[in-house]
Amino acid sequence: GEVKIDMINLISFLKRIKRSLCGLRDDCLFHLYRNLFRHASLQSNKIIFNNFNGRGYGDNPKYIAEELLRREMPYDLVWVVNRKQDPTVPKAIRTVRAGSWREAYEYATAKVIVNNVKSRLPFHKKKEQYYIQTWHGCFALKRIEGEVENELAPIYVRYSQRDSAMTDVMLSGSSMISDIMRRYFWYSGEIFECGQPRDDIFFSQTEDEIKELKMKYGIPVGTKVAVYAPTFRDNRNTSAYKEFDAHRFRDCLVRKTGKQWMVIVRLHPNVAFQDSLFRYDDTVLNGSQGMDGQELFLLGDLLVTDFSSVMMDFAIMKKPVFLFTPDLDEYRKDRGLRPLFDTLPFPRCMSQEALDSAVLSYDKSSYLENLHHFMETSYKNYSDGHASERVAERIKQVIDGTFTSKA
């Protein structure tokens, strides 16, 4: 028995050593690549996009790129990916692999950089470059960035502060996030209150286009869709997810409405690799891999979430939102929640039984009345379907040399 334990400890030790060596190698390559193209000349029509450090074609950067493609502008668009080939990226956009020397070259020579996360990027920003930080949410229940500086990893704080220092403009989708950016993002530059580009899809799609989306993802046209989209926990704990019984919830919806439903599980990108926690079949689908989040939310009829800002995507569309928060007390203690959480116009459920009860007693008119009051008084949404157009026009002005900084 002792020999077996010693062997397990040895294997664990060797794995830690391997991770450390890989991390050291990656750091060395990062700094090498970052300095390699420090004096490379800019390509005046090049725009590079980063979505969650290479995690596919999506979020705000996607919808800005789509608008540029729609305009048929003579730009060289480059997308950062985590693998050599990513079929989700349109052929009109070049791809470059994250962590490669080529990525560093593309960043160093791009006129415009579009990014939706705070992370270290492998280039030294030149004064002629224009860096757009789109962020990835316009609603924050959790305390973030400078609010929890003492609780964040020092290396993340350093990266975030560096990111803010080189940002030329941050995009905002609500008055709430504008205030948070100004107070806690270590940022004093321009905040462009243009709306969230990724929300544009909610204002422009027709019923026929929604039917096409359902066909794209293999969803029967007459079937209604409930989306379960919880946020991540800092310690990557998944116990709260396991409390959600997707099949039982689906049956409850059928009972309430008399219609056919399916549930699509969409985990946060930080924990999408844990999607095997759920049992999938014809009525419960895996939406954590290979589905565009905004397309999924558009075709969704109802949302179950916890503390995720995705609740506001559904609120903008005036769709039902239910909060399933079995670990509320623990989450409030570990991460901290704004007082705003207790004023949300969405039913809050600590158990599956409470969730079932909330669905069965749901009243649309009462819900919409409470939602309207909240949106007008607390959230103050800027999204109106034209955010991508505004950002594309800004990019055009930057590349044409006609933009004058407002900072």
Side-chain angles (χ1 to χ4, degrees):
E2 291 182 2
V3 172
K4 183 177 181 180
I5 292 173
D6 287 342
M7 183 60 69
I8 292 173
N9 289 336
L10 176 61
I11 292 172
S12 178
F13 173 74
L14 291 175
K15 285 182 177 179
R16 288 199 300 272
I17 292 295
K18 181 181 179 181
R19 283 196 298 269
S20 297
L21 290 174
C22 288
L24 180 61
R25 177 203 62 194
D26 291 344
D27 282 343
C28 289
L29 288 175
F30 173 84
H31 290 292
L32 172 64
Y33 296 159
R34 184 167 182 252
N35 288 287
L36 193 59
F37 305 106
R38 190 167 192 166
H39 302 291
S41 298
L42 294 187
Q43 182 179 323
S44 62
N45 70 332
K46 183 191 291 185
I47 307 164
I48 186 168
F49 299 85
N50 178 41
N51 171 45
F52 289 107
N53 298 319
R55 292 179 186 167
Y57 185 60
D59 204 74
N60 287 314
K62 169 183 173 177
Y63 291 93
I64 296 170
E66 295 275 300
E67 176 61 20
L68 293 173
L69 290 176
R70 188 189 69 79
R71 294 183 177 207
E72 299 183 341
M73 305 298 289
Y75 300 152
D76 179 17
L77 307 185
V78 184
W79 198 275
V80 178
V81 297
N82 274 337
R83 48 190 176 180
K84 289 183 179 179
Q85 300 294 329
D86 189 330
T88 64
V89 181
K91 292 181 180 179
I93 302 178
R94 295 192 295 114
T95 60
V96 63
R97 192 168 187 179
S100 67
W101 68 265
R102 188 82 195 180
E103 179 200 25
Y105 172 78
E106 300 289 6
Y107 272 115
T109 57
K111 174 64 176 178
V112 178
I113 299 96
V114 180
N115 187 15
N116 69 344
V117 286
K118 296 291 203 78
S119 57
R120 67 176 186 175
L121 298 176
F123 78 112
H124 290 275
K125 181 173 178 278
K126 304 175 179 69
K127 65 180 181 180
E128 300 87 0
Q129 291 181 298
Y130 193 77
Y131 181 42
I132 301 173
Q133 173 56 259
T134 76
W135 198 233
H136 50 271
C138 55
F139 186 64
L141 289 174
K142 324 181 266 279
R143 293 182 299 135
I144 57 175
E145 297 294 293
E147 290 179 279
V148 287
E149 179 174 353
N150 294 332
E151 300 166 31
L152 294 171
I155 193 169
Y156 174 80
V157 173
R158 190 159 65 249
Y159 292 155
S160 183
Q161 291 174 338
R162 183 186 296 166
D163 185 277
S164 290
M166 69 180 189
T167 294
D168 291 289
V169 62
M170 283 189 180
L171 307 187
S172 169
S174 71
S175 62
M176 177 188 182
I177 201 66
S178 292
D179 181 61
I180 291 170
M181 285 174 169
R182 181 64 68 212
R183 295 169 65 184
Y184 302 118
F185 273 48
W186 302 289
Y187 179 69
S188 57
E190 181 193 359
I191 296 175
F192 189 10
E193 295 176 331
C194 59
Q196 276 205 128
R198 72 183 191 188
D199 289 345
D200 289 346
I201 192 174
F202 301 150
F203 296 86
S204 62
Q205 298 299 299
T206 65
E207 286 298 320
D208 286 341
E209 288 170 324
I210 293 174
K211 288 179 181 178
E212 288 180 13
L213 281 178
K214 285 192 171 184
M215 293 173 63
K216 173 182 175 180
Y217 292 121
I219 301 168
V221 172
T223 299
K224 299 183 79 65
V225 175
V227 178
Y228 175 54
T231 192
F232 69 98
R233 274 59 179 167
D234 289 338
N235 59 5
R236 301 301 187 265
N237 189 299
T238 60
S239 59
Y241 306 159
K242 296 175 183 176
E243 294 291 317
F244 179 71
D245 187 332
H247 290 85
R248 171 175 167 172
F249 184 67
R250 183 253 175 196
D251 292 342
C252 181
L253 290 170
V254 172
R255 239 178 22 253
K256 168 70 174 178
T257 65
K259 298 179 180 179
Q260 289 301 309
W261 284 78
M262 67 168 43
V263 176
I264 300 181
V265 177
R266 172 79 177 189
L267 298 183
H268 188 281
N270 285 355
V271 290
F273 64 92
Q274 296 178 313
D275 54 355
S276 60
L277 287 168
F278 297 88
R279 178 172 60 87
Y280 303 108
D281 54 27
D282 291 342
T283 60
V284 177
L285 302 185
N286 183 357
S288 299
Q289 311 284 349
M291 279 191 180
D292 176 86
Q294 299 310 104
E295 291 180 351
L296 173 58
F297 304 150
L298 175 66
L299 61 83
D301 297 287
L302 174 152
L303 174 72
V304 178
T305 186
D306 43 27
F307 316 103
S308 172
S309 65
V310 72
M311 66 180 71
M312 299 315 299
D313 291 288
F314 277 73
I316 287 171
M317 295 184 282
K318 298 181 173 60
K319 295 179 179 180
V321 176
F322 296 87
L323 305 184
F324 183 61
T325 58
D327 61 341
L328 173 59
D329 294 338
E330 180 182 352
Y331 192 91
R332 196 192 295 269
K333 178 182 177 182
D334 292 346
R335 187 65 188 260
L337 288 170
R338 302 179 198 283
L340 182 70
F341 179 77
D342 295 311
T343 70
L344 292 173
F346 314 123
R348 188 196 310 169
C349 314
M350 300 280 284
S351 67
Q352 188 79 38
E353 290 77 13
L355 181 60
D356 291 350
S357 177
V359 167
L360 293 173
S361 62
Y362 171 76
D363 177 72
K364 183 177 180 180
S365 60
S366 175
Y367 170 77
L368 290 177
E369 181 181 342
N370 293 333
L371 177 62
H372 176 76
H373 177 74
F374 176 82
M375 296 294 281
E376 290 296 315
T377 59
S378 299
Y379 182 66
K380 297 180 182 176
N381 172 52
Y382 295 145
S383 293
D384 60 0
H386 301 286
S388 298
E389 296 172 21
R390 297 184 182 106
V391 180
E393 186 60 30
R394 171 67 63 88
I395 289 173
K396 179 180 181 297
Q397 292 172 355
V398 168
I399 290 178
D400 290 346
T402 59
F403 174 70
T404 302
S405 175
K406 295 178 174 59

